[in-house]
Amino acid sequence: MSATPNRRPFDAGRAAYLTLNALLLAFLLLPIAIVLVFALNPTPYISFPPVGVSLRWFEKFFGSAEFMNALWLSLWVASVVLVLSIVIGAACALALSRGNLPGRAALTAFFMSPLMVPAILTGLALFQAYLLSGIGRPVWGLIAAHTLVAVPYVIRTTLAVLHNFDRRIEEAAAVLGASPVRVFFEVTLPLIRPGVFAGGVFAFIVSFDQFPVSLFLVVPKGETLPVVLFNYMKFDLDGAIAAASMVSILLALSVVLVLERLIGLKAYVKL
Amino acid sequence: MTSAAIKLDQVTKTFDGRVMAVDAVTLDIAAGEFFSLLGPSGCGKTTSLRMIAGFEHPDSGRVHVGGKDITDLPVHRRDMGMVFQSYALFPHRTVAENVAFGLRMREVPKPEIERRVAAALAQVALTGFETRKPGQLSGGQQQRVALARALVVEPPVLLCDEPLGALDRKLRQQMQFELKELQKRLGVTLVFVTHDQEEALAMSDRIAVMNGGKVEQVGTPTEIYERPRTRFVADFIGEINILDEGGQLRALRPEKIRLVAAEGARLSGTVETSNYLGGSTLLRVQPTTGPSMLVRETHAGARASRAPGDLVGLTWNDSDAVALES
C-alpha cells in the first residue's frame, strides 16, 4: 500500500493575505498602466477606451525644445543632488551614530526635519530667504534646496546600516595594522555603501520628481520637468503629459536597476 | 616566530567615571605562555584584554609588551593578532583577502603575500576555500579563517576574546586542541579570555581568575583547581564543599572524599540524590549535623553503588581540605 500525500488544508488566513497583497499591488501598478494606455492612445485628448497605438505623444515630447530643456535640467540637477546628498548624508549619519555628540536625539530630529515640514513650506521659506538675502534664483540655489530635502533619505538608510554594524570588524582591521583612515576606506565605507546608495536612489527621485520646492525657485526658461509639465497641463491635457510621465517613470526605474545591479541594494537594506 | 612577554602594571580602568571595570591589576605573562583570563561576565577580563590590544586606554597604570611601554601606542602600531568571539571577518572580502589584509597593511610584496596566505590557510586546513566569502562558511570554518588572519602576520602576541564561545560543544573541544597545538608550535604568547572554567583548565599554562575588576588568583590549572586561595576561586571552578572549622573556611573537592562504613567515619549521613555522570556519580549526602556535602564517586567500569536513602560514612585527608583566605 502506498502512502497518500497529505493534502494541505485550506487556509483562509493565507488566502486573505494573498488577496490583500494582490489588491495592494494593483492599487500601486494600475495608475502606471493607465498612464501607459493614455501615452500610446493617439486621440488628441485623454479619453477612454483607447482607439489605437501610436508613438505620436512620445514624438511630441522628445521633439519639444521646452520639454527637452526641462528634462536635461531635471536630470542634471538630480544627478548633482544625488552626489551631494550621499556625501553630506553619509557624513551626517556617521557623525550621528558614532560621534558621541551631545544632544544626539535632538540633532537627528533636526536633520530629519525636512521630511516633517510640508515641501511647499520649505519652498516658500527658501524663496523668501533667497530673495531677502539677494541670492535670487540661481540653479545652485535650486540644487541646494533639493539637497536639503533629499539628505534625510540618505541619513535614514545609512543610519539603518550603521545600526547593525559590528564594530569589531573595524577593530579587527585596526589590530591588523590599519590606521583609522585606512579602516574607514577599507572597511567602514564598503560596508555602509549599500545603505548610502539606497538613500542616493531616493535622493535622485526626490529631486527629479520635486515639484513644490521647485515651483518657487525656478526662473522662466529655467524650469524643471515637473514644473513644465504642470504649466503645460494648465492649458493642454493631451497624451504628451502621459508620455512625459512614462519617461520619468522609466528613468527612475533605470536608476534603481543600475544601482541594484552594481551593488545589490536588496541584499543589504530593507526598504 | 618571536614571542613577547606582557606586563600589566597597576592598570585601572573606569567607565563613565564611576564603574570600576579593572582595578589596579598587575599581571606578568611570560613570552610563549598560554595565559587565560577567567571569570564571570563583568569581571574585567575583556576590558583587560582590550587594554592590551589598545582599544581602551587605562586611566592609570602601564602596559608593557616585549619590555616596551606601549600604553600610549595606537592599536594599529601594536603588531598583535586578535581573534574575536564574533570572528569579525570582513564580510565583503574573500577568505584569501581576509587573511591577506594584515600583510597588505604591512606592505609585504604581492608574491610573498600569496605564499604566506596559502601557508596560513593550509595551517588551518582551509586550502581550497580562498575565493569563498565568510558568509558561505560554517562557524568553525569562519573561526579558522579568523585565526589564520591573525597569525599570518606572525604577531608576537595573540589575543583571543572568547574565540570558541559561539561553537557547539564537540567543535569547541576540537578547536581547543587545535588552538593549543598551534600555539605551542608557533611559540606565540597567547592571552585567552573565557568564562568557561573547563576550557581555561584544559588549555592554559597559567590562569588568572578575575572577579569584580580584581585578580583573585594566578596559577597553573592544577594550582587553581587544587589550591584555590579564595572562596570565589573555589566556588567558580568546579564543584566544591566549603567547610567551616571554627571560623576558618576550608575548600574540599567532592572527589577527595572517600565513601566508607558509617561507623567511625569523620562524618556520616544519608544519600539524598545521586546524579550519574557517566565516568563518575555525584552524590549529595546530608550528614546528621551541618550542611549537605557533594561527594564524587568515580567508577572504573563498575556502576554507582550508592542509592538515595543509603547510610554512608565520609572521610578525607586533612591536606585536601584547603584553607581559604577570608
Side-chain angles (χ1 to χ4, degrees):
Chain A
M1 217 173 92
S2 65
T4 49
N6 291 330
R7 183 94 47 81
R8 196 144 113 204
F10 176 74
D11 185 340
R14 189 177 155 77
Y17 170 75
L18 289 177
T19 312
L20 182 65
N21 272 293
L23 284 173
L24 283 173
L25 270 180
F27 182 70
L28 288 172
L29 293 178
L30 264 182
I32 296 175
I34 290 169
V35 169
L36 183 63
V37 168
F38 287 146
L40 294 173
N41 185 12
T43 55
Y45 43 88
I46 285 182
S47 72
F48 200 83
V51 297
V53 172
S54 97
L55 291 178
R56 65 177 282 203
W57 299 120
F58 286 92
E59 278 161 27
K60 180 172 183 186
F61 174 72
F62 284 110
S64 148
E66 197 190 359
F67 278 138
M68 281 305 99
N69 288 339
L71 176 63
W72 287 123
L73 178 66
S74 281
L75 279 178
W76 188 75
V77 168
S79 305
V80 178
V81 169
L82 166 69
V83 173
L84 285 177
S85 50
I86 63 177
V87 172
I88 297 170
C92 283
L94 277 167
L96 289 171
S97 128
R98 301 279 179 84
N100 230 345
L101 303 166
R104 202 156 60 166
L107 272 176
T108 308
F110 176 72
F111 280 115
M112 304 303 273
S113 61
L115 289 183
M116 269 68 116
V117 179
I120 193 106
L121 290 185
T122 309
L124 180 61
L126 284 170
F127 171 68
Q128 290 177 326
Y130 283 4
L131 283 191
L132 286 175
S133 56
I135 290 171
R137 287 181 286 177
V139 178
W140 67 258
L142 181 67
I143 290 173
H146 281 193
T147 305
L148 181 74
V149 288
V151 158
Y153 291 92
V154 182
I155 294 182
R156 193 143 70 175
T157 51
T158 310
L159 278 179
V161 176
L162 283 170
H163 186 71
N164 297 317
F165 196 103
D166 180 4
R167 300 210 62 182
R168 300 277 186 259
I169 296 174
E170 291 171 317
E171 292 181 348
V175 178
L176 287 165
S179 64
V181 174
R182 291 203 83 167
V183 170
F184 180 76
F185 284 104
E186 297 268 358
V187 177
T188 317
L189 196 56
L191 290 181
I192 65 170
R193 192 178 293 154
V196 175
F197 279 138
V201 172
F202 285 118
F204 181 89
I205 293 169
V206 161
S207 167
F208 189 71
D209 285 347
Q210 188 56 245
F211 176 69
V213 171
S214 299
L215 188 61
F216 290 98
L217 299 176
V218 291
V219 288
K221 302 287 164 209
E223 293 156 329
T224 57
L225 188 58
V227 177
V228 168
L229 289 177
F230 178 73
N231 289 336
Y232 184 86
M233 264 198 300
K234 285 194 286 196
F235 305 105
D236 300 278
L237 196 62
D238 61 23
I241 296 288
S245 305
M246 279 318 293
V247 171
S248 300
I249 290 168
L250 290 178
L251 274 172
L253 198 62
S254 54
V255 170
V256 174
L257 287 178
V258 164
L259 284 177
E260 156 64 26
R261 261 295 131 82
L262 285 180
I263 47 176
L265 294 177
K266 66 174 178 233
Y268 294 90
V269 183
K270 293 192 185 76
L271 296 174
Chain B
M1 192 178 275
T2 54
S3 60
I6 302 169
K7 185 178 168 63
L8 299 189
D9 186 13
Q10 293 289 315
V11 167
T12 295
K13 177 76 187 172
T14 54
F15 287 115
D16 303 329
R18 289 189 302 116
V19 188
M20 190 70 96
V22 173
D23 187 0
V25 162
T26 296
L27 287 173
D28 269 299
I29 302 170
E33 193 172 24
F34 195 125
F35 193 93
S36 289
L37 298 173
L38 172 67
S41 61
C43 72
K45 57 190 193 298
T46 296
T47 306
S48 300
L49 190 79
R50 291 174 65 79
M51 284 192 285
I52 300 174
F55 297 129
E56 309 287 351
H57 192 264
D59 299 342
S60 64
R62 311 301 294 178
V63 180
H64 300 263
V65 170
K68 271 186 296 189
D69 186 338
I70 60 157
T71 317
D72 300 317
L73 206 62
V75 179
H76 66 281
R77 300 232 193 86
R78 293 197 176 194
D79 194 26
M80 291 181 180
M82 184 152 179
V83 179
F84 297 83
Q85 181 172 15
S86 60
Y87 315 137
L89 297 176
F90 308 128
H92 57 303
R93 295 182 188 278
T94 64
V95 167
E97 286 167 348
N98 263 279
V99 178
F101 191 86
L103 297 172
R104 216 153 50 72
M105 293 302 117
R106 285 163 175 76
E107 280 157 15
V108 173
K110 227 172 163 202
E112 193 189 334
I113 291 185
E114 279 172 27
R115 190 174 53 72
R116 284 170 70 177
V117 166
L121 285 175
Q123 198 162 50
V124 295
L126 278 178
T127 306
F129 288 82
E130 288 82 356
T131 56
R132 302 265 192 107
K133 288 278 179 70
Q136 298 168 296
L137 302 179
S138 71
Q141 289 166 339
Q142 291 186 33
Q143 174 61 256
R144 297 215 290 267
V145 175
L147 201 55
R149 181 179 68 175
L151 288 174
V152 75
V153 298
E154 301 186 350
V157 168
L158 179 63
L159 308 174
C160 295
D161 187 6
E162 310 234 7
L164 310 179
L167 302 177
D168 63 52
R169 194 181 160 82
K170 200 87 186 171
L171 195 55
R172 193 163 69 221
Q173 213 160 47
Q174 184 194 331
M175 285 301 296
Q176 286 175 4
F177 282 117
E178 284 183 24
L179 184 58
K180 189 169 179 178
E181 254 174 52
L182 201 59
Q183 185 265 338
K184 284 293 166 238
R185 196 163 73 231
L186 301 174
V188 62
T189 310
L190 198 154
V191 185
F192 190 91
V193 161
T194 182
H195 66 270
D196 182 337
Q197 37 112 357
E198 275 180 41
E199 193 166 272
L201 291 176
M203 300 177 79
S204 318
D205 293 322
R206 279 194 309 151
I207 300 170
V209 182
M210 293 186 71
N211 178 34
K214 288 191 159 76
V215 173
E216 292 260 340
Q217 187 174 353
V218 180
T220 63
T222 324
E223 284 165 359
I224 295 283
Y225 186 79
E226 303 272 344
R227 298 274 138 200
R229 194 181 301 148
T230 64
R231 176 159 193 170
F232 177 83
V233 175
D235 261 336
F236 191 73
I237 316 249
E239 280 86 27
I240 198 78
N241 295 298
I242 303 290
L243 313 174
D244 189 347
E245 293 178 353
Q248 171 65 61
L249 296 183
R250 291 182 181 275
L252 178 63
R253 294 285 174 198
E255 65 273 19
K256 302 290 187 192
I257 302 176
R258 292 186 302 278
L259 292 169
V260 291
E263 275 130 62
R266 281 178 97 130
L267 265 180
S268 64
T270 36
V271 175
E272 274 190 329
T273 51
S274 152
N275 288 353
Y276 178 61
L277 302 173
S280 65
T281 298
L282 199 60
L283 305 173
R284 183 185 290 277
V285 176
Q286 179 59 60
T288 36
T289 58
S292 63
M293 303 275 286
L294 287 174
V295 181
R296 192 186 299 280
E297 190 186 13
T298 52
H299 24 80
R303 184 71 173 75
S305 58
R306 317 289 164 152
D310 287 358
L311 192 66
V312 292
L314 309 179
T315 189
W316 60 87
N317 299 339
D318 280 333
S319 59
D320 287 331
V322 182
L324 299 175
E325 289 170 10
S326 48

